[in-house]
Amino acid sequence: MDFYAKSDPEETIREHTEELLKRYEQLKKQYGDRLPLTERDWYLLKIMVLYHDVGKADAFFQNKIRSALEKPLLQAASAFDVQHNYLSILAIPVKQLGLDKEEEKLVMQVIAYHHERDRPVHVVEALANYRENILPIRDKLQAHMGLEIEERIKQKRFDRISTSQRFTPSHGPIFRRYVLLKGLLHRLDHAASAHVPIELSHDLAVGDYVNRFMEREFNGAKKELQQFTEANQDKHVVVVAQTGMGKTEAGLLWLGREKGFFTLPLRVSLNAMYDRIVNPDKIGFTHVTDEHGETATGLLHSTSLDYLLDTVEGDDSILEKVHAQSKEFANKLVISTIDQVLKFPFFYLGFEKEYATMASSKLIIDELQAYNPKIAALLVRAMAMIDEIGGSFLIMTATLPDFYYKALQRELKQPNKSICYGEFIDDQVKRHNVSIREKSILDCAKEAAEAGKTKKVLMICNTVDQARELYKEVVRQLHKEVVLHHPNTEQQIEGQQNWTEIHKEVVQHYPNIHLLHSRFIQKDRKRLESKIMAFAKSEQTGIWVTTQLVEASLDIDFDVLYSEMASLDSLFQRLGRCNRRGEKTIDVTNVHILTKDVSGVGSVYDQEIYQRSLDLLSEQSGVLMETKKHAMIQRLYDEEALVGTDFKAEFDETLKQLKSRPLYEISKQKAQSLLRDFQQNQVVPTMFLELDEVQQAINDWENANKQFERKEDIKRAKRKARRTIEKYSVSVNKFKNLGLSDFYGIKGLHIAECRYDATLGLLTDEIEGFFS
């Protein structure tokens, strides 16, 4: 008799269990000496693998699968809907397996909670289903599974899995044991269900690939930072390093031969990092097979599958498998956002999978300064927990707030691995001659427009609205020159000529004038990001007006920077987009910091941090040395100086709450939303609904269920349709009054009753005329 575990694809309980066993053997072989597990622990994990799904033999569950498979239904003597994981614990022959009381409790809890559905067990119903539905077919089940099945009803087992008995940190060392075993069972189960390997490219070492790259490109010469991280592979490492120190290579050299996670705050940065690492002409850490696609390096963020489908040539089903492998942490190196791998301090339902993976991995956190105080507190907590479970971390950052590092040191009073700290600041390369000006950035439009005729000029505002106003002002100044110097151009009364006509006239004579911010639809933003990257590498001159979007996400280099005043860490990131390699002359000012009528103070930037930054920067004039930048950041975020500020209070309170956070209360999705910008709505402006491409995609979405039978094909068709629609979407603040309506039942998408301009972006406020 066959007992089914799944219907799509059709799979028996025995077949599914055997898939777990294959991955169990692989995991034990590859990480048996790396994970803090005894031989006895591996034995317990094997028991968990063998018995975790036995409860699916329940006739009630079998009939759900059989109905989907259109097979004859079984007679169900007891018709309660009981989760199979609760029935599985009744099937374990504890005495025959030689489990002591502590081991029995471990095995019972791991199996009972290998599905976390926040649905309590009804003991009477579970006992009835086991007695009436499973024991009568015990012999057949034993034959099917090749296992001994418990023949007695053991009601006391439910006492061992009651919510009041669940393991918590207060239980001491057994909690870590529980987390590791449960987390590994999750990994084995999820990988088997997704039909992907548990580990890929295990024998490859990213450090070897970096060394070959360094040999090829630099004759093997390594910078001081790179030597430092490579020499301290066995420690936790914290490094503060300026632009141009080779941080990516330094991080990968620290990973060496180990499994690693490389995190960055922005998806566009991750995409660029992924491309650079797998590119054979660069680091080239890649291994592609016909069966699994890319196996060495994975990319993991909320739209990573879309990115792969858009940029990598290959069959969609293989790329979907590549993505599934990364979701199951199978790659030797995973490039990821923090919300994918560092949610575990929230102790969400099922957190053990992420946390247990860290026990045999190394984590890199790049650009720590880019996170707000709440997220920074979570990262500090995560790093302390990683040390506890046996993993290790590397922090690489251009600026490190003093109190963040002190908090980390306090959390790691007696660490399993020591922390190695290094600063890599070099004043030999001079990049920036800075002028602090009590002037609005809007008042610099004419000056910047003139400079843009012979240089690459970058102008950065703190808000989208300010960037748009500045762009309009720059175009206005250029339009005056067009009218003045080109007599064939018809001069019209200011305010009467529409935006399209004005812009068209300007770009005919000054083609390299552009605006980039976050309120462009995906299609246009992607185009603009590619364009600014190409412009920065070219010999062309012109002006780009942007927001802080370019601070850390794009590798660009301009001649002159105009920037609104911001917090120093953000401001210094902006400076990294001007004279990036220090190869241009700085005899005259190349960085202008504007301090009047600054946008975003109190909303984008904390008021107190902004004011402290302004006070510190007022001491500066002329060439700004790297050591001076570092000293100013240390003073800005000095722990004693920040006592009593909202900024530090937010960090301290978040860390305190995380350290006392109750376990097993929130879902994985809720934990993920806490790490994402969930104050945003994804909207499609109404004008795009008329496009044939969008109409066809809507039709494909609505008819996918009718057109295809297999769930996999339905999901693929809907994903393709959604990707097409999302090209015309943009993220906006949830609290903007845009007259939103649902987008034809597609969850997470909305229709916005507002205008859109391909040059200005989403117009959330009605604009009657260009100069209004």
Side-chain angles (χ1 to χ4, degrees):
M1 179 179 179
D2 285 332
F3 296 93
Y4 297 100
K6 301 177 186 300
S7 61
D8 188 17
E10 182 179 323
E11 190 175 51
T12 67
I13 303 175
R14 173 71 174 263
E15 289 168 341
H16 174 63
T17 303
E18 286 176 347
E19 289 296 317
L20 266 77
L21 284 171
K22 290 177 189 175
R23 290 160 177 78
Y24 165 87
E25 294 297 341
Q26 183 188 7
L27 191 69
K28 185 179 180 184
K29 179 181 178 182
Q30 295 176 351
Y31 288 98
D33 60 347
R34 181 72 175 81
L35 285 162
L37 295 176
T38 64
E39 196 58 39
R40 186 67 177 178
D41 290 328
W42 284 105
Y43 171 70
L44 296 180
L45 180 57
K46 189 170 185 178
I47 292 172
M48 296 165 186
V49 165
L50 291 170
Y51 284 92
H52 80 289
D53 267 1
V54 169
K56 286 184 175 180
D58 174 26
F60 187 88
F61 181 91
Q62 285 299 299
N63 284 339
K64 290 181 182 179
I65 305 295
R66 285 174 168 269
S67 177
L69 294 173
E70 298 182 347
K71 292 181 180 289
L73 302 184
L74 304 177
Q75 184 66 38
S78 180
F80 294 114
D81 185 4
V82 180
Q83 284 183 222
H84 71 270
N85 38 304
Y86 295 135
L87 295 173
S88 292
I89 69 170
L90 294 171
I92 303 168
V94 171
K95 189 174 182 180
Q96 292 86 333
L97 293 171
L99 306 181
D100 62 29
K101 287 185 178 181
E102 184 175 89
E103 292 171 340
E104 179 185 356
K105 188 174 180 180
L106 270 172
V107 171
M108 295 297 163
Q109 287 207 18
V110 168
I111 291 179
Y113 293 107
H114 82 273
H115 288 293
E116 296 272 15
R117 295 188 177 126
D118 196 24
R119 179 180 158 193
V121 60
H122 294 285
V123 175
V124 173
E125 295 178 359
L127 294 173
N129 277 32
Y130 191 77
R131 181 187 307 108
E132 303 297 331
N133 294 348
I134 292 181
L135 286 183
I137 48 90
R138 176 171 169 266
D139 291 344
K140 293 177 181 178
L141 181 56
Q142 288 185 146
H144 176 80
M145 295 298 299
L147 295 173
E148 183 170 351
I149 303 298
E150 178 61 60
E151 63 180 333
R152 295 184 179 181
I153 303 292
K154 304 282 187 178
Q155 182 172 341
K156 287 187 177 180
R157 293 185 180 182
F158 290 105
D159 296 336
R160 301 195 186 330
I161 68 160
S162 66
T163 53
S164 63
Q165 292 297 310
R166 289 200 70 172
F167 291 113
T168 66
S170 64
H171 288 96
I174 196 172
F175 176 69
R176 186 178 77 160
R177 202 176 171 198
Y178 168 74
V179 165
L180 285 167
L181 292 172
K182 184 170 184 284
L184 293 177
L185 181 64
H186 279 309
R187 282 201 66 199
L188 295 167
D189 193 18
H190 296 172
S193 295
H195 295 277
V196 299
I198 190 72
E199 291 287 334
L200 289 163
S201 296
H202 175 74
D203 295 333
L204 301 184
V206 67
D208 293 344
Y209 286 74
V210 175
N211 277 313
R212 285 199 285 270
F213 168 72
M214 302 292 286
E215 191 67 41
R216 186 174 70 245
E217 299 294 326
F218 307 105
N219 294 319
K222 294 174 184 172
K223 297 182 178 180
E224 188 181 358
L225 168 64
Q226 295 162 349
Q227 296 175 41
F228 179 81
T229 55
E230 189 173 30
N232 291 286
Q233 291 179 354
D234 59 337
K235 301 179 180 69
H236 302 309
V237 176
V238 178
V239 292
V240 179
Q242 69 190 58
T243 298
M245 290 292 182
K247 287 194 294 179
T248 299
E249 291 82 2
L252 299 177
L253 285 168
W254 175 77
L255 290 179
R257 304 196 64 82
E258 300 294 326
K259 183 181 183 73
F261 292 85
F262 200 130
T263 70
L264 280 162
L266 298 174
R267 287 175 294 181
V268 65
S269 305
L270 287 165
N271 295 339
M273 176 76 75
Y274 176 80
D275 292 343
R276 182 182 176 197
I277 288 175
V278 300
N279 187 340
D281 295 329
K282 299 293 179 65
I283 293 169
F285 187 59
T286 176
H287 184 242
V288 179
T289 69
D290 291 339
E291 183 182 2
H292 299 293
E294 174 61 57
T295 64
T297 303
L299 180 66
L300 192 56
H301 56 69
S302 60
T303 59
S304 53
L305 176 56
D306 293 341
Y307 180 77
L308 294 174
L309 291 168
D310 287 340
T311 60
V312 180
E313 291 186 9
D315 184 83
D316 282 5
S317 62
I318 291 294
L319 292 175
E320 288 166 6
K321 192 169 187 178
V322 167
H323 181 250
Q325 290 163 177
S326 299
K327 283 180 67 178
E328 300 307 328
F329 310 144
N331 306 99
K332 190 63 180 286
L333 171 64
V334 179
I335 315 297
S336 175
T337 45
I338 62 169
D339 65 286
Q340 300 289 339
V341 296
L342 294 177
K343 302 179 294 296
F344 52 83
F346 289 120
F347 291 127
Y348 64 89
L349 294 165
F351 78 93
E352 298 90 350
K353 177 182 175 181
E354 271 182 28
Y355 192 25
T357 303
M358 292 298 155
S360 56
S361 305
K362 301 175 82 172
L363 170 74
I364 298 172
I365 296 178
D366 198 2
E367 308 291 3
L368 177 65
Q369 81 283 347
Y371 298 103
N372 65 41
K374 286 186 176 180
I375 303 301
L378 177 126
L379 293 176
V380 168
R381 178 63 183 147
M383 286 181 277
M385 290 176 65
I386 287 170
D387 175 77
E388 290 173 7
I389 207 164
S392 52
F393 60 81
L394 162 65
I395 298 173
M396 296 192 299
T397 186
T399 56
L400 179 64
D402 169 70
F403 75 93
Y404 286 178
Y405 184 55
K406 286 182 177 177
L408 178 62
Q409 288 178 306
R410 285 193 293 269
E411 293 301 304
L412 293 169
K413 284 182 181 178
Q414 296 179 312
N416 289 311
K417 292 177 182 161
S418 59
I419 304 178
C420 194
Y421 179 84
E423 294 179 358
F424 299 88
I425 315 294
D426 182 8
D427 278 340
Q428 292 183 359
V429 179
K430 298 177 177 62
R431 296 179 173 86
H432 305 121
N433 188 333
V434 178
S435 174
I436 315 301
R437 303 167 65 179
E438 193 175 349
K439 191 174 184 178
S440 167
I441 196 168
L442 297 175
D443 295 332
C444 295
K446 183 177 181 180
E447 177 183 323
E450 187 63 30
K453 296 174 185 176
T454 57
K455 296 178 181 179
K456 296 181 190 296
V457 177
L458 180 64
M459 307 187 80
I460 304 180
C461 298
N462 296 343
T463 66
V464 172
D465 290 342
Q466 184 83 321
R468 188 181 284 135
E469 289 304 311
L470 176 60
Y471 180 75
K472 288 161 56 180
E473 186 60 28
V474 171
V475 171
R476 178 180 183 176
Q477 295 299 328
L478 289 172
H479 187 250
K480 288 180 179 179
E481 294 197 17
V482 169
V483 172
L484 182 65
H485 297 299
H486 300 277
N488 291 332
T489 301
E490 182 181 354
Q491 184 172 5
Q492 297 194 32
I493 300 172
E494 184 177 290
Q496 292 184 355
Q497 196 171 5
N498 70 40
W499 159 250
T500 303
E501 293 169 341
I502 289 174
H503 190 260
K504 183 177 179 180
E505 287 179 0
V506 169
V507 298
Q508 281 178 344
H509 302 284
Y510 302 104
N512 287 321
I513 166 74
H514 297 286
L515 173 67
L516 172 61
H517 54 66
S518 61
R519 280 193 222 148
F520 283 99
I521 61 171
Q522 289 183 16
K523 186 177 181 179
D524 287 342
R525 178 165 164 177
K526 184 178 180 180
R527 171 181 57 81
L528 288 165
E529 286 175 348
S530 297
K531 203 163 189 174
I532 193 173
M533 298 277 281
F535 172 80
K537 293 174 183 175
S538 73
E539 298 300 318
Q540 299 174 352
T541 59
I543 306 169
W544 278 79
V545 178
T546 73
T547 59
Q548 63 269 41
L549 179 72
V550 301
E551 283 178 18
S553 61
L554 300 174
D555 184 9
I556 54 176
D557 190 6
F558 280 66
D559 302 323
V560 180
L561 171 68
Y562 288 83
S563 173
E564 284 195 286
M565 181 62 194
S567 65
L568 287 183
D569 44 357
S570 180
L571 192 65
F572 293 161
Q573 282 290 102
R574 296 179 186 186
L575 266 61
R577 305 304 171 237
C578 176
N579 196 16
R580 191 169 178 81
R581 286 173 286 277
E583 297 171 351
K584 302 165 186 173
T585 180
I586 57 169
D587 293 339
V588 296
T589 299
N590 64 346
V591 175
H592 304 266
I593 309 298
L594 294 315
T595 64
K596 185 179 179 182
D597 298 329
V598 174
S599 65
V601 179
S603 55
V604 178
Y605 298 105
D606 179 88
Q607 177 73 53
E608 293 163 316
I609 296 298
Y610 174 86
Q611 189 56 53
R612 285 175 54 78
S613 295
L614 185 59
D615 294 342
L616 287 166
L617 197 65
S618 63
E619 305 170 8
Q620 169 61 35
S621 64
V623 176
L624 180 57
M625 308 299 285
E626 297 298 328
T627 51
K628 182 66 180 292
K629 291 181 191 175
H630 180 61
M632 291 169 74
I633 290 292
Q634 293 300 96
R635 290 174 62 188
L636 174 64
Y637 289 111
D638 177 74
E639 187 165 38
E640 291 185 10
L642 287 177
V643 170
T645 64
D646 292 341
F647 191 88
K648 185 172 185 299
E650 186 175 46
F651 175 88
D652 291 342
E653 181 59 27
T654 302
L655 187 57
K656 179 182 176 182
Q657 289 180 7
L658 287 169
K659 289 173 68 175
S660 59
R661 186 174 185 86
L663 278 69
Y664 320 121
E665 283 198 348
I666 66 172
S667 68
K668 176 181 177 180
Q669 290 72 26
K670 176 64 176 176
Q672 203 144 18
S673 72
L674 293 172
L675 285 175
R676 288 182 181 167
D677 189 1
F678 57 95
Q679 298 299 326
Q680 299 284 308
N681 276 322
Q682 193 172 6
V683 306
V684 177
T686 50
M687 62 182 282
F688 295 117
L689 298 181
E690 301 172 4
L691 296 177
D692 291 343
E693 185 181 20
V694 173
Q695 283 295 316
Q696 183 61 53
I698 293 170
N699 184 66
D700 291 344
W701 168 277
E702 292 179 333
N703 292 308
N705 290 325
K706 299 175 184 175
Q707 191 173 356
F708 300 99
E709 293 183 2
R710 295 173 64 233
K711 288 182 181 178
E712 188 176 326
D713 292 332
I714 293 171
K715 285 172 64 176
R716 187 172 294 138
K718 286 193 170 186
R719 185 186 297 121
K720 185 177 180 180
R722 181 171 185 139
R723 281 173 55 219
T724 298
I725 297 166
E726 285 181 342
K727 288 191 297 184
Y728 298 93
S729 72
V730 58
S731 292
V732 294
N733 191 292
K734 274 188 175 183
F735 305 106
K736 282 277 185 182
N737 185 18
L738 302 179
L740 299 185
S741 56
D742 291 339
F743 196 102
Y744 299 94
I746 302 179
K747 188 176 180 182
L749 272 181
H750 306 271
I751 299 169
E753 298 289 343
C754 55
R755 294 187 297 127
Y756 180 84
D757 184 283
T759 306
L760 294 175
L762 190 72
L763 304 177
T764 54
D765 298 309
E766 286 296 316
I767 299 175
E768 296 300 331
F770 174 63
F771 296 118
S772 61

